[in-house]
mmCIF file of all heavy atoms in Angstrom:
data_model
loop_
_atom_site.group_PDB
_atom_site.id
_atom_site.type_symbol
_atom_site.label_atom_id
_atom_site.label_comp_id
_atom_site.label_asym_id
_atom_site.label_seq_id
_atom_site.Cartn_x
_atom_site.Cartn_y
_atom_site.Cartn_z
ATOM 1 N N SER A 1 5.362 -7.302 7.083
ATOM 2 C CA SER A 1 6.356 -8.377 7.255
ATOM 3 C C SER A 1 5.825 -9.723 6.758
ATOM 4 O O SER A 1 6.601 -10.664 6.557
ATOM 5 C CB SER A 1 6.761 -8.484 8.728
ATOM 6 O OG SER A 1 5.672 -8.943 9.510
ATOM 7 N N LEU A 2 4.494 -9.813 6.581
ATOM 8 C CA LEU A 2 3.904 -11.070 6.110
ATOM 9 C C LEU A 2 3.811 -11.145 4.589
ATOM 10 O O LEU A 2 3.355 -12.147 4.037
ATOM 11 C CB LEU A 2 2.502 -11.248 6.719
ATOM 12 C CG LEU A 2 2.452 -11.453 8.238
ATOM 13 C CD1 LEU A 2 1.012 -11.466 8.731
ATOM 14 C CD2 LEU A 2 3.156 -12.758 8.634
ATOM 15 N N PHE A 3 4.229 -10.087 3.917
ATOM 16 C CA PHE A 3 4.199 -10.099 2.455
ATOM 17 C C PHE A 3 5.216 -11.122 1.935
ATOM 18 O O PHE A 3 6.328 -11.229 2.443
ATOM 19 C CB PHE A 3 4.534 -8.723 1.883
ATOM 20 C CG PHE A 3 3.467 -7.671 2.159
ATOM 21 C CD1 PHE A 3 3.782 -6.318 2.094
ATOM 22 C CD2 PHE A 3 2.167 -8.036 2.470
ATOM 23 C CE1 PHE A 3 2.823 -5.358 2.336
ATOM 24 C CE2 PHE A 3 1.199 -7.084 2.729
ATOM 25 C CZ PHE A 3 1.525 -5.744 2.667
ATOM 26 N N GLU A 4 4.847 -11.840 0.867
ATOM 27 C CA GLU A 4 5.713 -12.895 0.343
ATOM 28 C C GLU A 4 6.213 -12.619 -1.065
ATOM 29 O O GLU A 4 6.977 -13.406 -1.615
ATOM 30 C CB GLU A 4 4.951 -14.229 0.363
ATOM 31 C CG GLU A 4 4.599 -14.689 1.781
ATOM 32 C CD GLU A 4 3.863 -16.017 1.784
ATOM 33 O OE1 GLU A 4 3.376 -16.436 0.696
ATOM 34 O OE2 GLU A 4 3.761 -16.644 2.853
ATOM 35 N N ASN A 5 5.749 -11.488 -1.699
ATOM 36 C CA ASN A 5 6.244 -11.183 -3.039
ATOM 37 C C ASN A 5 6.240 -9.664 -3.252
ATOM 38 O O ASN A 5 5.661 -8.906 -2.468
ATOM 39 C CB ASN A 5 5.419 -11.899 -4.114
ATOM 40 C CG ASN A 5 3.939 -11.527 -4.046
ATOM 41 O OD1 ASN A 5 3.586 -10.360 -4.179
ATOM 42 N ND2 ASN A 5 3.086 -12.528 -3.840
ATOM 43 N N GLU A 6 6.881 -9.259 -4.327
ATOM 44 C CA GLU A 6 7.031 -7.832 -4.607
ATOM 45 C C GLU A 6 5.689 -7.187 -4.973
ATOM 46 O O GLU A 6 5.464 -6.007 -4.700
ATOM 47 C CB GLU A 6 8.022 -7.623 -5.760
ATOM 48 C CG GLU A 6 9.476 -7.857 -5.375
ATOM 49 C CD GLU A 6 9.919 -6.928 -4.257
ATOM 50 O OE1 GLU A 6 9.632 -5.708 -4.357
ATOM 51 O OE2 GLU A 6 10.530 -7.414 -3.282
ATOM 52 N N ALA A 7 4.804 -7.949 -5.594
ATOM 53 C CA ALA A 7 3.513 -7.392 -6.000
ATOM 54 C C ALA A 7 2.714 -6.927 -4.788
ATOM 55 O O ALA A 7 2.064 -5.870 -4.817
ATOM 56 C CB ALA A 7 2.723 -8.430 -6.788
ATOM 57 N N GLU A 8 2.764 -7.708 -3.705
ATOM 58 C CA GLU A 8 2.076 -7.300 -2.477
ATOM 59 C C GLU A 8 2.644 -5.991 -1.949
ATOM 60 O O GLU A 8 1.897 -5.083 -1.549
ATOM 61 C CB GLU A 8 2.217 -8.383 -1.401
ATOM 62 C CG GLU A 8 1.368 -9.620 -1.613
ATOM 63 C CD GLU A 8 1.486 -10.579 -0.439
ATOM 64 O OE1 GLU A 8 2.446 -11.368 -0.418
ATOM 65 O OE2 GLU A 8 0.624 -10.510 0.454
ATOM 66 N N LYS A 9 3.967 -5.911 -1.924
ATOM 67 C CA LYS A 9 4.620 -4.722 -1.381
ATOM 68 C C LYS A 9 4.302 -3.485 -2.226
ATOM 69 O O LYS A 9 3.978 -2.419 -1.687
ATOM 70 C CB LYS A 9 6.136 -4.939 -1.332
ATOM 71 C CG LYS A 9 6.579 -6.047 -0.384
ATOM 72 C CD LYS A 9 8.091 -6.275 -0.481
ATOM 73 C CE LYS A 9 8.534 -7.460 0.375
ATOM 74 N NZ LYS A 9 9.986 -7.722 0.238
ATOM 75 N N GLU A 10 4.407 -3.630 -3.539
ATOM 76 C CA GLU A 10 4.181 -2.478 -4.414
ATOM 77 C C GLU A 10 2.732 -1.979 -4.331
ATOM 78 O O GLU A 10 2.480 -0.774 -4.294
ATOM 79 C CB GLU A 10 4.524 -2.849 -5.854
ATOM 80 C CG GLU A 10 6.017 -3.046 -6.084
ATOM 81 C CD GLU A 10 6.325 -3.474 -7.509
ATOM 82 O OE1 GLU A 10 5.368 -3.550 -8.322
ATOM 83 O OE2 GLU A 10 7.502 -3.734 -7.810
ATOM 84 N N LEU A 11 1.775 -2.909 -4.284
ATOM 85 C CA LEU A 11 0.378 -2.508 -4.174
ATOM 86 C C LEU A 11 0.122 -1.825 -2.831
ATOM 87 O O LEU A 11 -0.564 -0.806 -2.756
ATOM 88 C CB LEU A 11 -0.541 -3.724 -4.342
ATOM 89 C CG LEU A 11 -2.048 -3.439 -4.301
ATOM 90 C CD1 LEU A 11 -2.452 -2.454 -5.394
ATOM 91 C CD2 LEU A 11 -2.844 -4.738 -4.434
ATOM 92 N N TYR A 12 0.699 -2.385 -1.781
ATOM 93 C CA TYR A 12 0.527 -1.816 -0.445
ATOM 94 C C TYR A 12 1.047 -0.380 -0.393
ATOM 95 O O TYR A 12 0.373 0.527 0.103
ATOM 96 C CB TYR A 12 1.254 -2.686 0.587
ATOM 97 C CG TYR A 12 1.277 -2.093 1.977
ATOM 98 C CD1 TYR A 12 0.138 -2.109 2.778
ATOM 99 C CD2 TYR A 12 2.442 -1.522 2.493
ATOM 100 C CE1 TYR A 12 0.158 -1.561 4.054
ATOM 101 C CE2 TYR A 12 2.474 -0.977 3.769
ATOM 102 C CZ TYR A 12 1.338 -0.995 4.538
ATOM 103 O OH TYR A 12 1.359 -0.449 5.809
ATOM 104 N N GLN A 13 2.256 -0.162 -0.891
ATOM 105 C CA GLN A 13 2.860 1.174 -0.858
ATOM 106 C C GLN A 13 2.041 2.170 -1.667
ATOM 107 O O GLN A 13 1.846 3.324 -1.255
ATOM 108 C CB GLN A 13 4.289 1.102 -1.394
ATOM 109 C CG GLN A 13 5.251 0.358 -0.464
ATOM 110 C CD GLN A 13 6.585 0.033 -1.115
ATOM 111 O OE1 GLN A 13 6.797 0.333 -2.297
ATOM 112 N NE2 GLN A 13 7.489 -0.588 -0.357
ATOM 113 N N ALA A 14 1.541 1.743 -2.828
ATOM 114 C CA ALA A 14 0.733 2.636 -3.669
ATOM 115 C C ALA A 14 -0.575 3.010 -2.970
ATOM 116 O O ALA A 14 -1.002 4.174 -2.989
ATOM 117 C CB ALA A 14 0.436 1.968 -5.006
ATOM 118 N N VAL A 15 -1.195 2.023 -2.308
ATOM 119 C CA VAL A 15 -2.466 2.280 -1.620
ATOM 120 C C VAL A 15 -2.256 3.211 -0.430
ATOM 121 O O VAL A 15 -3.046 4.134 -0.187
ATOM 122 C CB VAL A 15 -3.124 0.955 -1.178
ATOM 123 C CG1 VAL A 15 -4.304 1.220 -0.245
ATOM 124 C CG2 VAL A 15 -3.570 0.150 -2.391
ATOM 125 N N GLN A 16 -1.178 3.011 0.327
ATOM 126 C CA GLN A 16 -0.920 3.884 1.480
ATOM 127 C C GLN A 16 -0.706 5.321 1.041
ATOM 128 O O GLN A 16 -1.128 6.273 1.706
ATOM 129 C CB GLN A 16 0.300 3.380 2.270
ATOM 130 C CG GLN A 16 0.153 1.984 2.854
ATOM 131 C CD GLN A 16 -1.209 1.765 3.518
ATOM 132 O OE1 GLN A 16 -1.597 2.511 4.420
ATOM 133 N NE2 GLN A 16 -1.923 0.744 3.061
ATOM 134 N N SER A 17 -0.058 5.480 -0.106
ATOM 135 C CA SER A 17 0.173 6.825 -0.635
ATOM 136 C C SER A 17 -1.150 7.503 -0.989
ATOM 137 O O SER A 17 -1.354 8.693 -0.714
ATOM 138 C CB SER A 17 1.075 6.747 -1.867
ATOM 139 O OG SER A 17 1.231 8.020 -2.452
ATOM 140 N N ILE A 18 -2.057 6.736 -1.570
ATOM 141 C CA ILE A 18 -3.367 7.284 -1.949
ATOM 142 C C ILE A 18 -4.201 7.612 -0.714
ATOM 143 O O ILE A 18 -4.870 8.648 -0.649
ATOM 144 C CB ILE A 18 -4.122 6.279 -2.846
ATOM 145 C CG1 ILE A 18 -3.429 6.142 -4.196
ATOM 146 C CG2 ILE A 18 -5.572 6.689 -3.035
ATOM 147 C CD1 ILE A 18 -4.020 5.061 -5.077
ATOM 148 N N ARG A 19 -4.154 6.730 0.283
ATOM 149 C CA ARG A 19 -5.001 6.888 1.471
ATOM 150 C C ARG A 19 -4.760 8.212 2.179
ATOM 151 O O ARG A 19 -5.677 8.801 2.766
ATOM 152 C CB ARG A 19 -4.759 5.743 2.453
ATOM 153 C CG ARG A 19 -5.367 4.415 2.034
ATOM 154 C CD ARG A 19 -5.223 3.395 3.138
ATOM 155 N NE ARG A 19 -6.101 3.679 4.265
ATOM 156 C CZ ARG A 19 -5.838 3.361 5.535
ATOM 157 N NH1 ARG A 19 -4.690 2.779 5.844
ATOM 158 N NH2 ARG A 19 -6.702 3.637 6.490
ATOM 159 N N LYS A 20 -3.540 8.706 2.159
ATOM 160 C CA LYS A 20 -3.213 9.943 2.868
ATOM 161 C C LYS A 20 -3.996 11.132 2.309
ATOM 162 O O LYS A 20 -4.259 12.094 3.028
ATOM 163 C CB LYS A 20 -1.709 10.216 2.763
ATOM 164 C CG LYS A 20 -0.849 9.189 3.492
ATOM 165 C CD LYS A 20 0.639 9.459 3.250
ATOM 166 C CE LYS A 20 1.514 8.395 3.923
ATOM 167 N NZ LYS A 20 2.957 8.615 3.633
ATOM 168 N N GLN A 21 -4.363 11.063 1.030
ATOM 169 C CA GLN A 21 -5.031 12.200 0.404
ATOM 170 C C GLN A 21 -6.510 11.924 0.107
ATOM 171 O O GLN A 21 -7.247 12.824 -0.264
ATOM 172 C CB GLN A 21 -4.347 12.523 -0.932
ATOM 173 C CG GLN A 21 -2.829 12.451 -0.910
ATOM 174 C CD GLN A 21 -2.275 12.391 -2.320
ATOM 175 O OE1 GLN A 21 -2.533 13.279 -3.109
ATOM 176 N NE2 GLN A 21 -1.541 11.336 -2.642
ATOM 177 N N PHE A 22 -6.933 10.690 0.276
ATOM 178 C CA PHE A 22 -8.222 10.243 -0.252
ATOM 179 C C PHE A 22 -9.399 11.084 0.239
ATOM 180 O O PHE A 22 -10.272 11.458 -0.536
ATOM 181 C CB PHE A 22 -8.447 8.770 0.113
ATOM 182 C CG PHE A 22 -9.263 8.022 -0.911
ATOM 183 C CD1 PHE A 22 -8.712 7.661 -2.132
ATOM 184 C CD2 PHE A 22 -10.585 7.700 -0.670
ATOM 185 C CE1 PHE A 22 -9.456 6.980 -3.083
ATOM 186 C CE2 PHE A 22 -11.335 7.022 -1.612
ATOM 187 C CZ PHE A 22 -10.773 6.663 -2.822
ATOM 188 N N GLU A 23 -9.438 11.386 1.527
ATOM 189 C CA GLU A 23 -10.599 12.091 2.081
ATOM 190 C C GLU A 23 -10.631 13.560 1.702
ATOM 191 O O GLU A 23 -11.655 14.222 1.863
ATOM 192 C CB GLU A 23 -10.628 11.939 3.601
ATOM 193 C CG GLU A 23 -10.927 10.520 4.059
ATOM 194 C CD GLU A 23 -11.099 10.419 5.563
ATOM 195 O OE1 GLU A 23 -11.032 11.489 6.227
ATOM 196 O OE2 GLU A 23 -11.295 9.310 6.066
ATOM 197 N N ASN A 24 -9.529 14.097 1.228
ATOM 198 C CA ASN A 24 -9.449 15.528 0.920
ATOM 199 C C ASN A 24 -9.482 15.815 -0.572
ATOM 200 O O ASN A 24 -9.247 16.942 -0.994
ATOM 201 C CB ASN A 24 -8.168 16.121 1.528
ATOM 202 C CG ASN A 24 -8.130 15.962 3.038
ATOM 203 O OD1 ASN A 24 -9.130 16.188 3.705
ATOM 204 N ND2 ASN A 24 -6.991 15.551 3.559
#
């Protein structure tokens, strides 16, 4: 909710997607 631009949101979503699989 503290994000102020689309770049923050897009990077965040991409990183969360990666994190789910990262350890495996």
Side-chain angles (χ1 to χ4, degrees):
S1 67
L2 294 174
F3 292 160
E4 296 181 345
N5 58 60
E6 286 301 313
E8 286 185 276
K9 295 175 185 177
E10 290 177 3
L11 182 59
Y12 173 75
Q13 291 168 358
V15 170
Q16 299 316 304
S17 176
I18 292 174
R19 286 187 72 210
K20 294 175 183 177
Q21 319 164 58
F22 211 74
E23 291 186 3
N24 300 316

